[in-house]
């Protein structure tokens, strides 16, 4: 068994969301073991990776408290570490490999440059849009962020809080400007209660500063008060904005500014015959590793 600590979606020398990555052989770990290890590591998510063959890997994701179906930054971390291990032996992974997750079988692409791993791209699950949040719940969401209901807007656009999923359901919550985003105060207990009521992982709060998108993510219902980079949430957000004509097919989202951990998540959204495809990517680096 080999364990890595890795940061995904770093922005130059800044940011990056920590993830644990554990590579193990069949029958080496059970579900109870995985949950215990994820709690001990203590990062927002840990990926447990089991090789099926050279192109296919089974991956499960655990927060310190529960298993989740999919995790963007932990996927980036897992396959970055896998590619790095291969490079140490002078080998390259296939350009496209597959992860079998509880959100389905999803493609992962490794981008190399000068015999180094430049970035990792992951396919998201098919986007799903759920009902727009009703006014009473919208009022409570605003209160849980110490905001007024009128703050939950993008000026000049008709977009309100809505549940979206590209593997995990989150509430996409617009706020009027970057200062409002950075200054909001999260009531984690109230956010957790509303998240459970709506059957979502958490809140993904976003705004525009010119053409640049900034975001914050809160998931206290699954043991994550706030994290500085989230792949699946930004994939869902990009699908929503693209479907409403608010962004082009490629976008870079900055997250974690208020945490002092500014991170960059790259997203590509395409549509053909009414079917959307979302790819989320970014860079990563290893901070520690262990063998046992």
């Amino acid at each position: 068994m080999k364990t890595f600590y890795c940061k995904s979606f770093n922005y130059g020398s800044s940011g990056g969301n920590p993830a644990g990555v554990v590579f193990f052989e069949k029958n080496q770990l059970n579900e109870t073991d995985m949950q215990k290890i994820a709690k001990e590591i203590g990062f927002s998510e840990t990926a447990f990776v089991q090789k099926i063959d050279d192109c296919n890997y089974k991956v499960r994701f655990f927060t310190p408290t529960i298993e989740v179906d999919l995790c963007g930054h932990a996927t980036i971390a897992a396959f970055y570490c896998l590619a790095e291990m291969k490079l140490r032996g002078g080998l390259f992974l296939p350009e496209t490999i597959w992860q079998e997750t509880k959100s389905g079988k999803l493609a992962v692409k490794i981008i190399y440059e000068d015999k180094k791993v430049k970035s990792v791209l992951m396919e998201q699950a098919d986007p799903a849009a759920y009902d727009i949040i009703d006014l009473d719940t919208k009022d409570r969401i605003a209160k849980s962020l110490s905001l007024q209901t009128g703050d939950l807007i993008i000026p000049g656009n008709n977009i309100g809080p809505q549940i979206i999923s590209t593997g995990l359901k989150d509430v996409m919550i617009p706020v009027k400007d970057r200062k409002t985003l950075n200054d909001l105060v999260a009531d984690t207990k109230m956010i957790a209660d509303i998240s459970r009521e709506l059957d979502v992982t958490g809140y993904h709060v976003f705004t525009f500063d010119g053409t640049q998108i900034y975001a914050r993510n809160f998931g206290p219902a699954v043991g994550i008060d706030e994290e500085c980079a989230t792949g699946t949430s930004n994939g869902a957000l990009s699908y929503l904005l693209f479907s409403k004509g608010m962004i082009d097919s490629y976008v870079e989202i900055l997250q974690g500014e208020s945490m002092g951990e500014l991170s960059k998540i790259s997203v590509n959204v395409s549509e053909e015959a009414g079917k959307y495809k979302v790819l989320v990517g970014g860079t990563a680096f290893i901070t520690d590793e262990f063998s046992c």
Side-chain angles (χ1 to χ4, degrees):
M1 188 169 73
K2 192 165 184 64
T3 300
F4 290 88
Y5 294 170
C6 187
K7 278 194 165 187
S8 304
F9 300 125
N10 54 298
Y11 185 43
S13 60
S14 170
N17 196 357
V21 180
V22 179
F23 294 94
F24 68 101
E25 301 294 330
K26 185 177 181 180
N27 300 325
Q28 194 172 10
L29 297 174
N30 60 34
E31 186 173 303
T32 301
D33 296 328
M34 294 180 203
Q35 186 64 76
K36 181 180 178 182
I37 291 169
K39 183 176 181 180
E40 289 172 350
I41 290 175
F43 294 147
S44 57
E45 276 94 3
T46 295
F48 293 85
V49 185
Q50 181 185 329
K51 181 179 177 179
I52 300 171
D53 57 40
D54 287 342
C55 293
N56 295 276
Y57 295 81
K58 183 176 182 179
V59 189
R60 296 177 69 173
F61 303 95
F62 288 79
T63 79
T65 59
I66 65 168
E67 183 176 10
V68 293
D69 291 350
L70 187 66
C71 175
H73 82 278
T75 293
I76 301 300
F79 287 92
Y80 176 85
C81 292
L82 181 62
E84 282 290 319
M85 285 196 296
K86 290 288 187 181
L87 282 176
R88 292 172 186 178
L91 301 174
F92 292 86
L93 287 170
E95 181 181 344
T96 301
I97 48 185
W98 298 88
Q99 62 167 340
E100 294 186 5
T101 75
K102 290 196 170 182
S103 286
K105 186 174 181 178
L106 304 172
V108 178
K109 295 180 181 292
I110 310 296
I111 309 299
Y112 293 96
E113 187 176 272
D114 297 328
K115 297 183 179 179
K116 296 180 180 179
V117 182
K118 180 182 179 182
S119 61
V120 179
L121 297 173
M122 63 170 291
E123 180 185 7
Q124 303 279 282
D126 290 342
Y130 299 84
D131 291 341
I132 295 172
I133 300 300
D134 63 55
L135 183 58
D136 176 66
T137 305
K138 184 177 178 180
D139 290 343
R140 290 190 291 125
I141 287 172
K143 185 178 179 181
S144 71
L145 298 171
S146 303
L147 300 176
Q148 301 298 314
T149 305
D151 294 325
L152 306 189
I153 60 168
I154 299 295
N157 290 273
N158 182 24
I159 187 170
Q162 185 172 1
I163 298 171
I164 304 289
S165 172
T166 52
L168 292 176
K169 291 164 64 178
D170 278 295
V171 189
M172 303 295 133
I173 303 170
V175 294
K176 62 184 181 181
D177 55 38
R178 187 173 167 188
K179 184 177 188 305
T180 301
L181 180 71
N182 286 332
D183 290 350
L184 65 82
V185 178
D187 182 330
T188 55
K189 183 181 184 307
M190 192 172 182
I191 291 172
D193 290 342
I194 294 172
S195 297
R196 294 187 187 102
E197 175 188 322
L198 296 176
D199 188 29
V200 298
T201 302
Y203 289 7
H204 198 60
V205 191
F206 70 94
T207 195
F208 284 79
D209 188 351
T211 59
Q212 179 61 62
I213 301 171
Y214 288 83
R216 295 179 70 177
N217 188 275
F218 305 94
V222 295
I224 307 165
D225 285 350
E226 183 174 5
E227 55 186 341
C228 66
T230 49
T232 50
S233 300
N234 282 303
L237 172 61
S238 299
Y239 155 73
L240 174 65
L241 298 178
F242 181 79
S243 69
K244 291 184 174 293
M246 295 173 64
I247 61 169
D248 294 329
S249 61
Y250 176 79
V251 67
E252 294 177 347
I253 299 171
L254 298 181
Q255 186 177 330
E257 182 177 44
S258 63
M259 302 173 71
E261 293 282 358
L262 191 62
S263 306
K264 181 172 73 174
I265 300 91
S266 303
V267 187
N268 187 275
V269 186
S270 59
E271 183 268 334
E272 186 175 345
K275 184 176 178 62
Y276 290 86
K277 184 175 183 179
V278 181
L279 295 174
V280 173
T283 57
F285 61 95
I286 296 167
T287 59
D288 212 343
E289 58 184 275
F290 318 89
S291 296
C292 60

